[in-house]
Amino acid sequence: MPLARCLILTTALLLAACSPALNWRVVALADAPLDLMLPCKPDRAVRDLAWGRQTLAVSMVGCQAEGATYALAHVALAQPQDAATVMTDWQKALHQQLQMADAWQPLPGQAFVLPGTLELPQARQLQWQGHNGTGQPVYANARWFARTEGQQVRVYQAMVLSPAPLADGVLQSFVKGLQLR
């Protein structure tokens, strides 16, 4: 199953049992040194996904509030040099998920570097407008970043998908809530 399809299905599964709107809470990840703020009670999942010639365990946490999906996915890589490729693959998968008509353009958007993360060209923040599976407009606001953990590197994707642009305060609460431990 293609990466984009697996990520879409896994995100949908995560959202099956979410709580009411904008009840912000700190969510500590048990399998990664990161806390984040979510506006609803999160669901969690780990899926083994075929990624190139390897299989990676992708951990996800997310929820849905006021029609928007808030999600964070991360993966630990044994080969740190793979971080750039994984971030690019995630960006391509989102581009495909949004049914973007234009050709994939690598690395649009602005650099996104949290304190303690790697300054890679693929560490980006992107805002795109596209369409969901039923053809309805969807706005994506996503960030990718990576951090060294001992001999490995962990790559993160933080994303909000919404049917309309989010208020700046809501989006900033999500972004500022990304805190590495």
Side-chain angles (χ1 to χ4, degrees):
M1 186 180 298
L3 173 64
R5 185 178 220 168
C6 288
L7 291 174
I8 293 166
L9 291 173
T10 302
T11 300
L13 290 173
L14 282 171
L15 302 177
C18 290
S19 66
L22 305 184
N23 181 8
W24 290 97
R25 74 232 22 236
V26 174
V27 177
L29 300 182
D31 55 352
L34 182 114
D35 296 334
L36 71 150
M37 293 284 293
L38 289 174
C40 39
K41 183 180 178 191
D43 289 312
R44 300 168 193 259
V46 177
R47 298 286 184 264
D48 288 335
L49 298 177
W51 209 305
R53 291 183 281 152
Q54 59 185 330
T55 299
L56 299 175
V58 179
S59 295
M60 298 180 161
V61 60
C63 63
Q64 190 170 29
E66 293 188 339
T69 301
Y70 299 80
L72 181 119
H74 61 92
V75 62
L77 304 172
Q79 302 297 321
Q81 66 271 17
D82 291 344
T85 301
V86 168
M87 282 191 271
T88 299
D89 287 349
W90 258 338
Q91 292 166 21
K92 286 179 183 178
L94 180 57
H95 189 268
Q96 181 181 8
Q97 177 183 351
L98 296 175
Q99 302 176 23
M100 304 289 284
D102 59 334
W104 162 248
Q105 298 293 317
L107 307 176
Q110 301 172 351
F112 184 73
V113 181
L114 291 173
T117 62
L118 301 173
E119 293 187 34
L120 298 172
Q122 295 80 6
R124 308 302 279 170
Q125 57 186 1
L126 304 174
Q127 292 180 312
W128 284 326
Q129 180 182 359
H131 296 90
N132 64 18
T134 62
Q136 298 299 311
V138 65
Y139 294 82
N141 195 301
R143 284 150 176 78
W144 293 268
F145 54 99
R147 181 180 191 191
T148 302
E149 295 177 4
Q151 298 297 314
Q152 64 183 10
V153 67
R154 186 172 303 276
V155 176
Y156 296 88
Q157 174 186 260
M159 177 174 59
V160 180
L161 296 174
S162 58
L166 291 178
D168 285 338
V170 172
L171 185 59
Q172 288 307 313
S173 293
F174 178 70
V175 174
K176 290 181 180 182
L178 298 169
Q179 299 292 317
L180 291 164
R181 293 183 250 131

